[in-house]
Amino acid sequence: MVVAVGLAAGCGSDEGPDRSQDARGVEASGVRGARNAVEAYVRALNSRDIAGLIEVGGVPDDFRARREARRIMVEKGDRGLSIVEARVEITMGPDVGSVELAVRDRSGRDARDTLTVVREKSRWNVVVFLDRPSSPDKPTSSTVRP
């Protein structure tokens, strides 16, 4: 089972005065925000909350997101997941990280996954939703030159 992570409203923002940094200069609040995002994602999966999953994924609530959220719920929802471990590492600047997530489902089976978390406008999200159109004003990349 593969598990991804995201953020629910208010759960992953960098709240509070804790601005301490680890040895690499990573703010503790960033790690805390990413961890909160993981917890919110697992709650959305466990409760089969489509709107919550869309919110934790940080995508607009549109037909693509709803379709993909339903697919994710069929695959991963309502399994009674509990977090065994969520090791957060902020890897590329202060706004991108990875989470080594270990979960246990209600039947006692363990699963692991590596997740990417990103902070946008002080909210931690994860790229759970892959069916997203690119921005119309964004140029496409190509390996062929005209």
Side-chain angles (χ1 to χ4, degrees), residues 68-138:
E68 196 163 0
R70 285 190 297 271
R71 182 193 55 76
I72 291 167
M73 286 302 178
V74 165
E75 183 181 326
K76 302 173 188 171
D78 195 28
R79 300 249 168 99
L81 300 175
S82 60
I83 296 173
V84 175
E85 181 178 22
R87 183 173 299 156
V88 177
E89 184 175 342
I90 307 303
T91 55
M92 297 183 67
D95 299 323
V96 179
S98 64
V99 179
E100 294 290 330
L101 181 64
V103 295
R104 182 167 295 129
D105 69 14
R106 73 171 63 91
S107 68
R109 287 182 296 215
D110 292 332
R112 295 185 154 295
D113 197 4
T114 301
L115 314 164
T116 300
V117 290
V118 293
R119 180 169 41 189
E120 298 173 344
K121 299 179 183 172
S122 74
R123 288 184 48 165
W124 284 94
N125 301 295
V126 68
V127 181
V128 177
F129 295 90
L130 305 176
D131 185 15
R132 304 308 315 159
S134 60
S135 174
D137 58 338
K138 182 177 180 183

